């Protein structure tokens, strides 16, 4: 029966060859016992005979187009454990299109059979979970191969005490465990905001290469900020000061306001700050009023002053190093900046912080160029992006 099936295969191949070429193939020339390279195989085409490739496989039959199709017996290396020793049939591109069943066929493993029975979704999920845990290195395709088999075996050995995977109950348990896994999320790579945004810090001033012509002030005004302010101006070509500070040292605020005025810098209170709405208040307002051009999108507030007993009382904020500034001295600075006189009235009318109304801000703002408006937009975008990144890093 075996010889009969081989004869049928050879007859089919011979028929195909005769149809394709119009004549029967000659016998293959004599050859060494083994063909060791693919180059040697090229010598065995358009002929009838036997070719043994390396020490692994042997083709017996008719060969056409460099062994790309034919018919015959395909033999595996007998030393290879559990491999089929003989198959008969028609092969094309070195793969059998038809194979005669033989008693030597390998029985599929329990692991493979169980894997194939899983739904495609579960097969892919199983591979995904194993990959997240570092056991599986190949693509997520839902197909059973060496990568999947190796990953399952490794996980079984490390986590299920190497249970016998020839037993279906152990394989089922393995699959259930792996499918229920929830791999720990991979830690997010640590972000370097200083490098990402091109930041330079000068005291409480912040400079970013994202908006190279601007300096940002987001914190309380502290001692020596005027020194750091001068250093930043020497290091960068700056013409815009973006202000969102609750205030602080009156001495430092007035000192920096004088620098802004002398250098003809522009001031801007942004719509948003790192936390909430932009807010320039108290001593920060001195810096705003000193600007060559001024614009407010957020809030602008001034401390109130009043004199109930005929004596001037400063309640602006804590004064650094016991430095005392009278109301008249503060007004002197603001007059130098050509601050409207009605601003001083707001300072003395109430005891609480006074935030200017929209109609009043229009009178305080100056006309700005299209170029400067573009710088405002860039500043707002930087603040938004930086605030978002800072919040993500802080989580």
């Amino acid at each position: 029966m075996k010889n009969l099936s081989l004869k049928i295969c050879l007859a089919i191949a011979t028929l195909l060859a005769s149809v394709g070429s119009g004549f029967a193939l000659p016998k293959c020339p004599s050859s060494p016992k083994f063909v060791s390279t693919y180059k040697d195989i090229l010598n065995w085409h358009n002929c009838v005979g036997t070719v043994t490739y390396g020490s692994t496989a042997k083709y017996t039959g008719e060969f056409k187009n460099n062994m790309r199709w034919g018919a015959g017996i395909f033999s595996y290396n007998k030393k290879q454990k559990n491999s089929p020793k003989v198959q008969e049939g028609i092969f094309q591109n070195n793969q059998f299109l038809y194979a005669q069943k033989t008693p030597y066929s390998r029985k599929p493993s329990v692991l493979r059979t169980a894997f194939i029975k899983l739904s495609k979704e579960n097969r892919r999920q199983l591979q995904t979970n194993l990959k997240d845990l570092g056991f599986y290195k190949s693509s997520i395709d839902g197909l059973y191969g060496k990568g999947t088999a190796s990953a399952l075996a490794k996980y079984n050995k490390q986590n299920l005490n190497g249970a016998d995977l020839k037993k279906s109950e152990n394989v089922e348990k393995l699959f259930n465990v792996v499918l229920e896994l929830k791999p720990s999320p991979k830690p997010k790579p640590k972000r370097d905001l200083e490098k990402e945004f091109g930041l330079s810090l000068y005291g409480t001033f912040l400079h970013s290469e994202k908006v190279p012509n601007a300096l940002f002030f987001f914190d309380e005004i502290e001692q020596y900020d005027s020194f750091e302010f001068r250093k930043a101006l020497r290091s960068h070509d700056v013409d815009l000061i973006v202000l969102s500070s609750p205030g602080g040292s009156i001495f430092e605020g007035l000192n920096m306001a004088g620098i802004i005025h002398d250098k003809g810098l522009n001031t801007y209170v942004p719509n948003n700050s790192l936390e909430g709405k932009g807010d320039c208040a108290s001593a920060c307002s001195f810096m705003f009023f000193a600007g060559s051009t001024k614009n407010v999108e957020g809030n602008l507030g001034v401390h109130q002053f009043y004199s109930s007993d005929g004596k001037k009382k400063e309640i602006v904020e804590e004064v650094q190093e016991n430095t005392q500034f009278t109301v008249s001295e503060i007004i002197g600075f603001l007059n130098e900046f050509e601050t409207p006189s009605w601003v001083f009235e707001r300072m003395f009318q109430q005891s609480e912080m006074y935030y200017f109304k929209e109609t009043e801000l229009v009178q305080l703002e100056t006309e700005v160029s299209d170029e400067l408006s573009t710088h405002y937009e860039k500043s707002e975008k930087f603040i938004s992006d930086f605030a978002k990144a800072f919040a993500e890093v802080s989580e």
Side-chain angles (χ1 to χ4, degrees), residues 300-304 346 350 352-357 360:
L300 177 66
V302 293
H303 261 291
Q304 305 298 305
R346 302 294 184 272
Q350 307 174 55
E352 302 296 329
M353 180 74 73
Y354 180 84
Y355 283 97
F356 293 101
K357 300 175 182 178
E360 295 173 324

Side-chain angles (χ1 to χ4, degrees), residues 151-207:
L152 287 166
K154 287 180 181 178
Y155 184 87
N156 178 62
K157 183 177 181 180
Q158 291 187 23
N159 299 278
L160 298 176
N161 299 318
D164 185 359
L165 296 182
K166 293 180 180 179
K167 296 181 178 180
S168 58
E169 59 269 24
N170 292 338
V171 172
E172 183 179 355
K173 179 180 179 181
L174 171 62
F175 287 176
N176 289 337
V177 170
V178 174
L179 287 172
E180 292 176 1
L181 289 174
K182 294 182 179 179
S184 301
K186 296 179 180 179
K188 294 181 180 179
K190 188 175 181 180
R191 296 176 67 175
D192 186 347
L193 298 187
E194 188 172 343
K195 183 177 181 180
E196 183 177 337
F197 289 91
L199 301 181
S200 299
L201 302 177
Y202 300 90
T204 45
F205 282 94
L206 183 68
H207 180 269

Side-chain angles (χ1 to χ4, degrees), residues 202-203 205 222-234 252 255-256 259:
Y202 300 90
F205 282 94
E222 298 179 353
Q223 189 177 14
Y224 306 123
D225 273 346
S226 59
F227 174 81
E228 296 292 342
F229 184 36
R230 289 184 182 276
K231 186 193 298 186
L233 295 178
R234 289 195 299 270
E252 293 292 335
N255 197 0
M256 291 187 291
I259 297 171

Side-chain angles (χ1 to χ4, degrees), residues 2-18 25 47-50 59-63 69-73 88-91 98:
K2 181 176 180 181
N3 293 332
L4 179 61
S5 61
L6 175 57
K7 288 179 181 179
I8 294 173
C9 292
L10 291 173
I12 295 173
T14 303
L15 177 62
L16 292 173
S18 63
L25 297 175
C47 62
V48 179
T50 299
Y59 295 86
T60 301
E62 299 192 7
F63 307 99
W69 68 269
I73 299 174
E88 301 172 8
I90 301 173
F91 59 87
Y98 162 79

Side-chain angles (χ1 to χ4, degrees), residues 115-180:
F115 182 86
I116 294 173
K117 288 182 178 179
L118 293 174
S119 66
K120 185 177 181 179
E121 181 182 356
N122 280 346
R123 294 198 303 268
R124 292 172 62 88
Q125 187 62 53
L126 188 146
Q127 289 176 331
T128 299
N129 290 356
L130 289 171
K131 191 166 190 175
D132 289 343
L133 293 168
F135 289 93
Y136 183 65
K137 306 296 182 182
S138 302
S139 59
I140 307 299
D141 53 16
L143 302 177
Y144 186 88
K146 292 181 179 179
T148 301
S150 176
L152 287 166
K154 287 180 181 178
Y155 184 87
N156 178 62
K157 183 177 181 180
Q158 291 187 23
N159 299 278
L160 298 176
N161 299 318
D164 185 359
L165 296 182
K166 293 180 180 179
K167 296 181 178 180
S168 58
E169 59 269 24
N170 292 338
V171 172
E172 183 179 355
K173 179 180 179 181
L174 171 62
F175 287 176
N176 289 337
V177 170
V178 174
L179 287 172
E180 292 176 1

Side-chain angles (χ1 to χ4, degrees), residues 138-341:
S138 302
S139 59
I140 307 299
D141 53 16
L143 302 177
Y144 186 88
K146 292 181 179 179
T148 301
S150 176
L152 287 166
K154 287 180 181 178
Y155 184 87
N156 178 62
K157 183 177 181 180
Q158 291 187 23
N159 299 278
L160 298 176
N161 299 318
D164 185 359
L165 296 182
K166 293 180 180 179
K167 296 181 178 180
S168 58
E169 59 269 24
N170 292 338
V171 172
E172 183 179 355
K173 179 180 179 181
L174 171 62
F175 287 176
N176 289 337
V177 170
V178 174
L179 287 172
E180 292 176 1
L181 289 174
K182 294 182 179 179
S184 301
K186 296 179 180 179
K188 294 181 180 179
K190 188 175 181 180
R191 296 176 67 175
D192 186 347
L193 298 187
E194 188 172 343
K195 183 177 181 180
E196 183 177 337
F197 289 91
L199 301 181
S200 299
L201 302 177
Y202 300 90
T204 45
F205 282 94
L206 183 68
H207 180 269
S208 170
E209 292 301 328
K210 300 287 186 181
V211 194
N213 70 307
L215 271 181
F216 296 85
F217 198 93
F218 295 129
D219 212 334
E220 291 189 6
I221 302 173
E222 298 179 353
Q223 189 177 14
Y224 306 123
D225 273 346
S226 59
F227 174 81
E228 296 292 342
F229 184 36
R230 289 184 182 276
K231 186 193 298 186
L233 295 178
R234 289 195 299 270
S235 302
H236 305 281
D237 187 13
V238 168
D239 61 12
L240 176 63
I241 310 300
V242 182
L243 300 166
S244 184
S245 166
S249 168
I250 299 174
F251 174 81
E252 293 292 335
L254 289 175
N255 197 0
M256 291 187 291
I259 297 171
I260 291 172
H261 179 265
D262 294 342
K263 291 186 174 293
L265 304 177
N266 306 304
T267 54
Y268 175 65
V269 179
N271 184 48
N272 294 298
S273 188
L274 296 183
E275 296 182 2
K277 196 171 182 64
D279 184 10
C280 177
S282 187
C284 177
S285 66
F286 305 155
M287 299 167 67
F288 169 80
F289 288 123
S292 176
T293 63
K294 299 177 278 288
N295 192 271
V296 180
E297 290 295 332
N299 296 320
L300 177 66
V302 293
H303 261 291
Q304 305 298 305
F305 299 93
Y306 69 97
S307 179
S308 60
D309 58 357
K311 295 181 180 180
K312 296 176 181 178
K313 181 179 180 181
E314 179 209 322
I315 59 169
V316 178
E317 289 229 359
E318 180 182 356
V319 178
Q320 301 288 336
E321 295 182 347
N322 298 320
T323 303
Q324 297 292 325
F325 280 87
T326 63
V327 172
S328 60
E329 288 171 326
I330 294 173
I331 292 176
F333 271 92
L334 297 181
N335 279 333
E336 187 177 352
F337 307 151
E338 299 182 355
T339 306
S341 58

